Amino acid sequence: MICYDYINEYVRKTIKTNQGILPELEDYASKNHVPIVQPEVARLLTVTGRLLKPVRILEVGTAIGYSSILMSEILAPGGVIDTIERYDLMIELARQNIKKAGLADTINVIAGDASEVLKCLDKEYDLIFLDAAKGQYGEFLTECIRMLRKGGLIFSDNVLYKGMIANDDLVVRRKKTIVKRMRSYLNDICNSDILDTSLIPIGDGVALSYKLE
Ligand SMILES: C[S@@+](CC[C@H](N)C(=O)[O-])C[C@H]1O[C@@H](n2cnc3c(N)ncnc32)[C@H](O)[C@@H]1O
């Protein structure tokens, strides 16, 4: 947690709760220690996403399909989501959950490591949600910028990683490489000529990067 607990508690009890299959998936994720997008970040994702009226969304890091099902609510009519996942069990669970939610024609789970899959995709996306291995965001960036339409958004989650990114005193030894890579990623997206980026201390830290027209 990078925010005060009392703020998070207040925000979480104030924002609206999800409907449909999502509460069941929240329960599953909590009991099985599957990391899913935090409630306050989920709301930021849907609210900013709605402004874009996205027809195509790309997600990196599907897990059990929770955030892709959530984002299906903000798609323009006929819109689609491509979501990439490398872990077989998660791919299976995500496909089951997406089918159960009646979204098999809307959400396409692509199996594989995003560092390879992204190079093979050749579509234009309105919104890209990065929620995978934190040490790899930098590797994904060039391909994400290539496929993001002008006026589109890259929404990167967990960019402040438990405060470690902002404070060396918090960095545990085994996370040093991830921290170094994430700082480099943030430096790139904040100093890019083609992105305008805001860093937001919400959840575990979010970066919103708008691709300039
Ligand atoms: C934080 S979870 C995703 C949660 C999901 N976006 C949600 O909120 O419901 C991260 C997922 O990314 C996957 N992942 C991590 N690095 C990846 C990579 N390089 N390629 C594909 N999947 C990756 C992990 O297996 C894990 O399931």
Side-chain angles (χ1 to χ4, degrees):
M1 287 282 189
I2 59 170
C3 296
Y4 292 115
D5 287 346
Y6 75 93
I7 299 278
N8 277 327
E9 277 163 29
Y10 174 76
V11 169
R12 286 183 183 187
K13 74 173 189 239
T14 305
I15 56 180
K16 84 170 175 204
T17 51
N18 291 305
Q19 306 296 314
I21 194 180
L22 293 173
E24 183 187 325
L25 300 192
E26 287 160 12
D27 195 44
Y28 177 91
S30 164
K31 288 184 177 139
N32 294 280
H33 311 288
V34 177
I36 58 169
V37 64
Q38 295 178 25
E40 58 279 13
V41 176
R43 289 275 71 82
L44 182 66
L45 179 60
T46 57
V47 172
T48 51
R50 278 181 203 284
L51 297 171
L52 295 168
K53 301 184 174 45
V55 177
R56 279 176 299 272
I57 297 177
L58 174 65
E59 174 180 65
V60 184
T62 317
I64 56 174
Y66 176 80
S67 51
S68 51
I69 293 170
L70 174 81
M71 288 190 291
S72 70
E73 293 173 11
I74 64 166
L75 279 173
V80 288
I81 299 176
D82 290 328
T83 178
I84 307 171
E85 175 58 54
R86 66 180 174 188
Y87 181 23
D88 287 344
L89 174 63
M90 290 297 139
I91 294 164
E92 180 61 32
L93 288 171
R95 286 186 174 143
Q96 279 173 21
N97 290 330
I98 288 163
K99 192 171 171 200
K100 197 169 164 189
L103 292 165
D105 293 336
T106 303
I107 302 172
N108 173 33
V109 180
I110 304 173
D113 195 298
S115 52
E116 295 305 318
V117 173
L118 287 170
K119 288 180 204 151
C120 304
L121 291 176
D122 196 14
K123 294 185 188 171
E124 191 176 63
Y125 294 97
D126 305 297
L127 171 65
I128 298 181
F129 178 39
L130 281 188
D131 192 20
K134 290 169 271 296
Q136 287 189 291
Y137 285 15
E139 267 179 68
F140 304 152
L141 185 59
T142 307
E143 302 303 336
C144 287
I145 290 176
R146 173 178 63 81
M147 290 188 281
L148 184 67
R149 75 154 159 91
K150 286 182 180 166
L153 198 70
I154 301 175
F155 188 114
S156 314
D157 198 10
N158 306 109
V159 298
L160 296 175
Y161 197 18
K162 299 177 180 168
M164 285 188 266
I165 306 303
N167 185 347
D168 280 338
D169 294 343
L170 299 176
V171 180
V172 291
R173 202 185 171 84
R174 66 180 193 287
K175 302 290 184 188
K176 272 189 167 171
T177 304
I178 293 177
V179 169
K180 193 172 157 205
R181 289 181 181 170
M182 183 58 87
R183 285 179 181 161
S184 168
Y185 173 72
L186 294 181
N187 192 51
D188 288 349
I189 58 174
C190 289
N191 293 294
S192 161
D193 290 338
I194 46 173
L195 297 175
D196 189 12
T197 294
S198 169
L199 299 184
I200 308 174
I202 179 178
D204 198 23
V206 166
L208 295 183
S209 304
Y210 175 87
K211 186 167 172 181
L212 298 166
E213 309 271 351

